[in-house]
Amino acid sequence: MRDILPDLRARCSDGIPFALATVVAVHGSAPRDPGAVLAVDAAGAVVGSVSGGCVEGDVYEVAREVLAGAGPRVVSYGISDDEAFGVGLTCGGTIEILVRAYATAAEREGLAAVLDLIAADLPVAEATVLSGAAETGARLVVRPAPAPDIHDTPGIHDTPGTPGTLGSEGLDAAVTDDARGLLAQGHTGIQWYGAHGQRRMQEVAVFVRTYAPPPRMLVFGAIDHAAATARIGSFLGYRVTVCDARPAFATRERFPVADEVVCAWPHDYLEATEVDARTVICVLTHDPKFDVPLLAAALRTPAAYIGVMGSRRTHRDRLARLRAAGADEAHLARLASPVGLDLGARTPEETAVSIAAEIIQHRWGGTGRPLGELSGAIHHPGGPTGRGDQGTAFAPS
């Protein structure tokens, strides 16, 4: 959705009807993950992609039918489909796609409210009925639960006038609760309920698409390797902060792609900033007076990844200092050091690729080995701690 956000906002503001096709599930290998979208407007213009080119032609025709009034539909393409080769899906997977229209002003206004939240990097989830004992295409917008101190501040966590409904109070309540949990984890996928929100029932399939703010990458140590790491972090979609205590090094000129450059003692900054389970921390300081208190603080956070630059001897010394500071072995095991995968990297840019590769491997649970040496599925459904964004299959489990 973020890829075509400006196009969708423009169509909403200009009053242009369009149909939106959304990948809601994948089975096996597929080019795009759940949440990928393609829009077709009344003039026939297309933006976005749901399969990297495999099935776009057929989805385009379905979108035109839905926009003409055929009603929301869930369509399937893949190796089990007799027409799979005809639509070009020869890559061995099956995808489920929801196609629905935003033909009326009210429908576009409801979507525009969600698009505005996404554009502002505010967390929001959108739940849509796919099948079962509820109306296909029924939609509910969910925001995080209000904190006690802002409960009475409208517009911060609630979206008055745009939440919608899935058809029953019980179903709305159950989906809202689950969507908030998925939103906190950055997960997208299909949930199953009874017609009135009962758990452990499979009467209604609901696709919950979450839009969490970009995850954070915190880079400590304003060196050449940090500049390269900031660039690749930004490319991967992280909101990048570079922090160093030395004002001559922590400058915007040295880190033009970083979202934030902070001049502060690293551990002071880390203790005062927000860190969640999607945050990655890269410690490139090379200096015990910086990295030991910084790592002690980092190990108290729920960060997804803590990578630390340095030789093996440096790391052994670092571990001894951290143990003396009170860190236990379970916490120390979280440190990825020496940082990065073994790619034979030499330059700062190559080292940044190695660090990025380890972050990706940690997130998705890959082996780090050449794919040509392996067999089986190429894409992993989630990392070792369940933080992947892969959706569930469109079938009862």
Side-chain angles (χ1 to χ4, degrees), residues 58-336:
D58 194 75
V59 173
Y60 174 86
E61 296 301 330
V62 174
R64 297 281 284 179
E65 293 172 8
V66 169
L67 193 53
R73 292 172 56 186
V74 176
V75 291
S76 175
Y77 303 95
I79 56 176
S80 62
D81 191 327
D82 292 338
E83 298 179 349
F85 188 80
V87 299
L89 190 63
T90 58
C91 49
T94 303
I95 57 176
E96 309 282 347
I97 299 174
L98 168 69
V99 186
R100 61 162 299 159
Y102 292 89
T104 68
E107 289 170 336
R108 290 190 296 275
E109 287 172 3
L111 179 61
V114 174
L115 299 179
D116 289 345
L117 292 168
I118 298 171
D121 281 339
L122 295 173
V124 62
E126 186 179 30
T128 307
V129 172
L130 299 181
S131 65
E135 181 183 356
T136 299
R139 176 173 167 272
L140 177 70
V141 176
V142 179
R143 299 296 317 283
D149 59 338
I150 60 171
H151 183 75
D152 295 324
T153 306
I156 301 297
H157 282 265
D158 298 315
T159 50
T162 63
T165 180
L166 302 182
S168 77
E169 184 176 345
L171 183 58
D172 287 350
V175 172
T176 295
D177 186 51
D178 289 346
R180 284 173 171 165
L182 292 171
L183 185 58
Q185 300 172 50
H187 287 192
T188 283
I190 296 173
Q191 306 291 308
W192 289 85
Y193 304 92
H196 299 286
Q198 302 96 319
R199 309 288 181 175
R200 301 182 181 277
M201 297 186 69
Q202 299 173 349
E203 296 177 349
V204 182
V206 178
F207 177 64
V208 180
R209 176 68 170 106
T210 64
Y211 303 96
R216 301 189 68 192
M217 173 182 280
L218 306 180
V219 181
F220 295 97
I223 62 176
D224 289 346
H225 290 81
T229 301
R231 289 196 295 272
I232 201 166
S234 179
F235 175 76
L236 291 175
Y238 286 93
R239 179 174 176 81
V240 179
T241 297
V242 176
C243 176
D244 196 293
R246 301 166 295 178
F249 290 86
T251 66
R252 172 57 62 187
E253 290 74 22
R254 287 172 52 80
F255 301 96
V257 303
D259 296 281
E260 183 181 32
V261 180
V262 176
C263 183
W265 278 83
H267 70 281
D268 288 339
Y269 172 76
L270 183 60
E271 289 172 345
T273 196
E274 180 180 355
V275 175
D276 62 22
R278 299 188 304 148
T279 302
V280 299
I281 297 174
C282 300
V283 178
L284 315 179
T285 49
H286 279 302
D287 189 332
K289 71 174 178 290
F290 289 118
D291 60 17
V292 171
L294 170 60
L295 290 172
L299 290 172
R300 293 192 292 269
T301 73
Y305 170 88
I306 306 171
V308 195
M309 181 171 281
S311 68
R312 299 185 192 282
R313 183 168 64 180
T314 297
H315 187 56
R316 286 194 294 270
D317 176 71
R318 184 187 294 131
L319 291 177
R321 292 172 182 267
L322 287 168
R323 289 188 185 100
D328 60 30
E329 297 306 312
H331 284 88
L332 294 177
R334 297 178 60 198
L335 301 179

